[in-house]
Amino acid sequence: MTHTPHRRSRRTLVLVAGVAALGLPLVAVPAEAAGTAAATPAPRTGFEGSGGARWTGEQEETAFLAAVDRGSDRVSVRTIGTTRQGRPLRLATVGAPHAGTTVLLVCSQHGDEPSGREACLTTVRDLAYARDPETRRFLSRTTVLVVPSANPDGREADTRGNADGVDVNRDHIALQTAEGRAMAALIRDRRPEVIYDLHEYGGTSPYYDKDLLALWPRNPNADARVHDEAHTLSESYVRPSAGAAGFGSGIYGIWTDPLTGKPIKQVAGDGQERILRNTAGVKHSVGLLVETRVEALTDAERDDTARNQRRRVNTQLAALKGAFAYVDERRGRLGAATAAARLSGFADRGPVLLGGADNDPAEPAETIQDPPCGYRLDRAQYAEFGDELALHGITVRREGDGVLVPLRQSQRALVPLLLDGRATYRLTTGQPVEVC
């Protein structure tokens, strides 16, 4: 399937390092192009300084973010958590705080998938130092939250999981990791309209070998309006933006016939609520997973590691250009969709689905057709899991020596996913209550 690039808005951002430099041998530095004074040159990442031959080191990231924070009054960097090995989980906030639309970039949850981290670092800098009116206007109406290293212990060890071997991107329900807990608190407190999750993947030629793969929330509990906006983000903006930069794209998890382009089978990308793109949908944010291919695609890349790594980062940057264009052009529709979804739970109507996906209908056994009024937790259960409920932003009501967790709240569908005895990734089994 091919997609025609969406009409470019006059307000589309000029991200100097990530956009103007696409296809060049090295991601550029924005100092001159953005009009930054020569006395305060924009900092460079270790990746840029090496010509893409190596990834940015931990100390280099620390120094880079500190320099950007000092050099721009539109950026602030703070720590939102600490890993088991003592590394900070940093959040960079770009733009006017709490202004208009909030976008969250989550970078390199898997420590051995570094291209998203590099793209996020340079994006923070480019937004911070840009002087063009389009970017200034964008940031006056947008808060961009960036977690450049969502799994710094894994990044340091070059492992998929964190220091305990846990896949952080399978921990957005149980919240057993410091990384997952920090992300849940951030989502709860800032309620981003968009959650954009940057990854990499291993290809299977010739069926699964695009430069970029993308996927929206497939969990069937995602509000239809939010789901449709996420689909639009992927198919009308992110993938076309990558295509316009010369990168091939596809849908994550779907093998396609190389001759016809038709899908052959699905190998990944289901509706598990514990995966961030799905958690985002259940929590009423427009979520999107993006993945760049790790393997060398040409003989030139096979002969030159730096060329391969630059292609991976530039693909991420091209996709991000599309994501920001989406926010700029559809912020009204985006805001209306997420606001309506956040209110819908208070109506307390409709089934809750414990399985299935948007392309795989839930079985009858996976459907709570007539959900209870709420779930009761005893004192011991609440003592053990009360923190997790609070991190998810779930409202509870004290009753006797325990609590009642009502379904009538913004995140209505999340309550059974956390507490129903039939839910695969539940925190604990609550007692269904029919009358609240």
Side-chain angles (χ1 to χ4, degrees), residues 69-81:
D69 196 359
R70 288 192 305 270
S72 173
D73 59 4
R74 66 178 74 143
V75 175
S76 65
V77 180
R78 66 183 179 92
T79 298
I80 59 171

Side-chain angles (χ1 to χ4, degrees), residues 393-411:
I394 296 297
T395 300
V396 305
R397 190 167 73 226
R398 291 279 184 179
E399 281 198 355
D401 63 353
V403 298
L404 174 71
V405 186
L407 263 68
R408 190 183 292 274
Q409 55 180 295
S410 180
Q411 298 185 106

Side-chain angles (χ1 to χ4, degrees), residues 244-382:
F247 300 113
S249 72
I251 297 174
Y252 176 74
I254 304 296
W255 280 18
T256 57
D257 186 306
L259 297 178
T260 66
K262 293 182 178 180
I264 297 173
K265 66 176 179 177
Q266 182 169 335
V267 297
D270 59 20
Q272 292 180 43
E273 61 267 22
R274 61 180 181 162
I275 297 171
L276 182 58
R277 65 179 166 81
N278 288 318
T279 307
V282 174
K283 291 185 174 182
H284 313 312
S285 293
V286 170
L288 192 69
L289 168 78
V290 291
E291 305 240 3
T292 52
R293 178 172 169 167
V294 172
E295 292 88 355
L297 296 176
T298 64
D299 289 339
E301 280 194 13
R302 280 184 278 274
D303 294 338
D304 183 355
T305 298
R307 182 184 292 269
N308 165 267
Q309 294 181 168
R310 290 195 300 267
R311 185 261 306 164
R312 289 152 61 183
V313 174
N314 281 342
T315 306
Q316 294 279 13
L317 290 166
L320 266 173
K321 177 184 177 183
F324 287 148
Y326 163 83
V327 171
D328 213 21
E329 293 181 8
R330 290 184 66 88
R331 68 176 70 243
R333 295 181 181 89
L334 169 62
T338 54
R342 288 165 180 165
L343 290 173
S344 63
F346 293 102
D348 194 17
R349 291 194 302 266
V352 175
L353 304 172
L354 303 177
D358 64 352
N359 62 347
D360 178 25
E363 299 291 336
E366 299 173 314
T367 303
I368 307 178
Q369 195 63 45
D370 187 16
C373 172
Y375 295 85
R376 182 172 287 116
L377 303 182
D378 62 28
R379 179 187 298 176
Q381 287 176 305
Y382 188 60

Side-chain angles (χ1 to χ4, degrees), residues 40-164:
T40 57
R44 292 164 60 90
T45 65
F47 176 82
E48 292 173 304
S50 71
R54 62 175 180 82
W55 306 112
T56 301
E58 181 182 0
Q59 292 183 350
E60 289 174 322
E61 177 185 322
T62 299
F64 176 86
L65 290 172
V68 173
D69 196 359
R70 288 192 305 270
S72 173
D73 59 4
R74 66 178 74 143
V75 175
S76 65
V77 180
R78 66 183 179 92
T79 298
I80 59 171
T82 304
T83 68
R84 188 174 71 80
Q85 293 183 343
R87 293 185 175 86
L89 291 158
R90 296 189 183 91
L91 171 69
T93 302
V94 191
H98 306 287
T101 308
T102 299
V103 179
L104 170 61
L105 309 183
V106 181
C107 319
S108 297
Q109 285 196 83
H110 295 146
D112 57 354
E113 300 173 8
S115 73
R117 171 175 175 258
E118 299 295 343
C120 286
L121 288 171
T122 55
T123 294
V124 169
R125 179 201 58 207
D126 295 349
L127 291 174
Y129 281 77
R131 293 292 179 264
D132 61 281
E134 292 83 3
T135 303
R136 287 175 175 270
R137 188 181 305 116
F138 178 83
L139 291 175
S140 72
R141 300 190 295 165
T142 312
T143 302
V144 182
L145 307 174
V146 184
V147 181
S149 293
N151 178 10
D153 290 350
R155 173 79 280 278
E156 186 68 13
D158 194 28
T159 57
R160 179 181 175 90
N162 68 359
D164 294 315

